[in-house]
Amino acid sequence: MCINNEQLTPHFNRQEFKCCCEGRYCNGFPAEMNPDLVGRLEAVRMVLENPIIITSGVRCPVRNEEVGGIPHSRHLFGAAADCYAPGLSVHALAAAAIAAGLGVIIYEDEGFCHLEI
């Protein structure tokens, strides 16, 4: 069982991945984040030498639907995160994520990447 405020890696805390429904539909963690994904995000952060801000981690089904997520989104299972790296292009973030073995969808107009395992 994870402690609510657990430090998952040197640069990522469990709370950063909490469902963005703000407690309306779930307790914040309908699933735990996949450790492999979090480890790869840490590797990307280290390569870029730049913070990575998580805008969406795990999602409950209701919140996933509200934000237009696909029915079997990897967010539902803790296997995806939407994020950006302040001061860096989405393309720089995407290149580092691909090099770390992550699947990437670039949302250039919105300024973030969807990263998944």
Side-chain angles (χ1 to χ4, degrees):
M1 186 73 173
C2 287
I3 296 171
N4 203 32
N5 204 23
E6 181 181 355
Q7 196 67 29
L8 301 175
T9 70
H11 295 101
F12 291 103
N13 185 285
R14 183 172 181 255
Q15 290 299 301
E16 294 177 78
F17 298 96
K18 188 175 184 177
C19 181
C20 56
C21 78
E22 299 177 349
R24 292 182 303 237
Y25 314 120
C26 74
N27 69 357
F29 290 96
E32 289 299 325
M33 291 305 294
N34 182 294
D36 187 35
L37 172 68
V38 178
R40 290 173 193 256
L41 287 169
E42 178 68 20
V44 171
R45 199 260 183 232
M46 295 300 292
V47 166
L48 293 176
E49 298 180 336
N50 196 83
I52 296 174
I53 307 301
I54 306 299
T55 59
S56 183
V58 67
R59 292 184 198 143
C60 64
V62 176
R63 184 62 179 156
N64 188 61
E65 187 175 331
E66 281 183 348
V67 300
I70 62 173
H72 298 289
S73 170
R74 291 184 178 269
H75 286 280
L76 297 169
F77 310 105
D82 295 340
C83 54
Y84 68 96
L88 297 178
S89 74
V90 292
H91 298 286
L93 175 58
I98 290 167
L102 292 169
V104 176
I105 301 172
I106 297 172
Y107 291 89
E108 189 166 12
D109 290 344
E110 294 88 347
F112 74 92
C113 290
H114 168 92
L115 308 179
E116 66 180 32
I117 56 168

